[in-house]
């Protein structure tokens, strides 16, 4: 553990803090049923479902931008990471992700 704050990776620290916060706010993150969801062979995507909440996580692990067309059931959903509404067609930049949430 690096105790000198000037040498710490604070960007990573804040990233993990935000993930922990999202996990605490959304029960589907930790307790939801997991299933892969094929959207594009270059993307990693999966769903987490718990009672009335469903999450769709889409990750672009490539080094290029990719256009994503996600299920219409997630139209007008909210990206929990940015708190912005997401349209049906989305451009994910390299190494970017979205965490879309819809309530049933």
């Amino acid at each position: 553990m690096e105790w000198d704050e000037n040498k710490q990776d604070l960007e990573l620290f804040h990233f993990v803090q935000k993930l922990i916060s999202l996990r605490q706010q959304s029960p589907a993150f930790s307790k939801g049923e997991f299933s892969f969801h094929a959207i594009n062979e270059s993307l990693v995507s999966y769903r987490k479902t718990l009672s009335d909440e469903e999450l769709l996580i889409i990750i672009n692990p490539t080094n290029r931008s990719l256009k994503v067309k996600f299920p219409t059931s997630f139209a007008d959903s909210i990206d929990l990471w940015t708190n912005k509404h997401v349209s049906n067609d989305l451009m994910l930049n390299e190494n970017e992700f979205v965490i879309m949430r819809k309530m049933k």
Side-chain angles (χ1 to χ4, degrees), residues 18 39 43 72 85 93 104:
K18 189 168 183 175
I39 291 179
L43 299 169
T72 55
H85 281 88
N93 294 322
K104 294 181 183 178

Side-chain angles (χ1 to χ4, degrees), residues 22 29 39 43-46 55-60 68 70 74 77-82 84-87 90-93 95-101:
L22 289 176
F29 259 115
I39 291 179
L43 299 169
V44 175
S45 55
Y46 60 93
L55 304 175
L56 176 61
I57 293 91
I58 305 172
I59 304 165
N60 178 4
V68 179
F70 52 87
F74 278 89
S77 60
I78 295 174
D79 179 355
L80 291 181
W81 192 257
T82 63
K84 295 181 181 176
H85 281 88
V86 181
S87 65
L90 176 69
M91 185 64 73
L92 272 182
N93 294 322
N95 301 310
E96 192 174 42
F97 64 91
V98 291
I99 304 170
M100 299 185 321
R101 177 186 192 195

Side-chain angles (χ1 to χ4, degrees), residues 2 4-9:
E2 181 61 59
D4 183 351
E5 285 190 28
N6 295 323
K7 295 180 182 178
Q8 292 175 358
D9 187 345

Side-chain angles (χ1 to χ4, degrees), residues 5-56:
E5 285 190 28
N6 295 323
K7 295 180 182 178
Q8 292 175 358
D9 187 345
L10 296 179
E11 184 178 347
L12 177 61
F13 175 77
H14 294 298
F15 181 86
V16 172
Q17 270 190 324
K18 189 168 183 175
L19 283 175
I20 292 168
S21 174
L22 289 176
R23 185 172 179 249
Q24 292 170 340
Q25 293 172 27
S26 172
F29 259 115
S30 57
K31 300 174 185 168
E33 182 180 318
F34 176 93
S35 63
F36 281 106
H37 183 77
I39 291 179
N40 175 317
E41 64 185 34
S42 298
L43 299 169
V44 175
S45 55
Y46 60 93
R47 290 180 190 231
K48 296 281 290 190
T49 307
L50 182 68
S51 57
D52 65 340
E53 180 183 27
E54 187 171 3
L55 304 175
L56 176 61

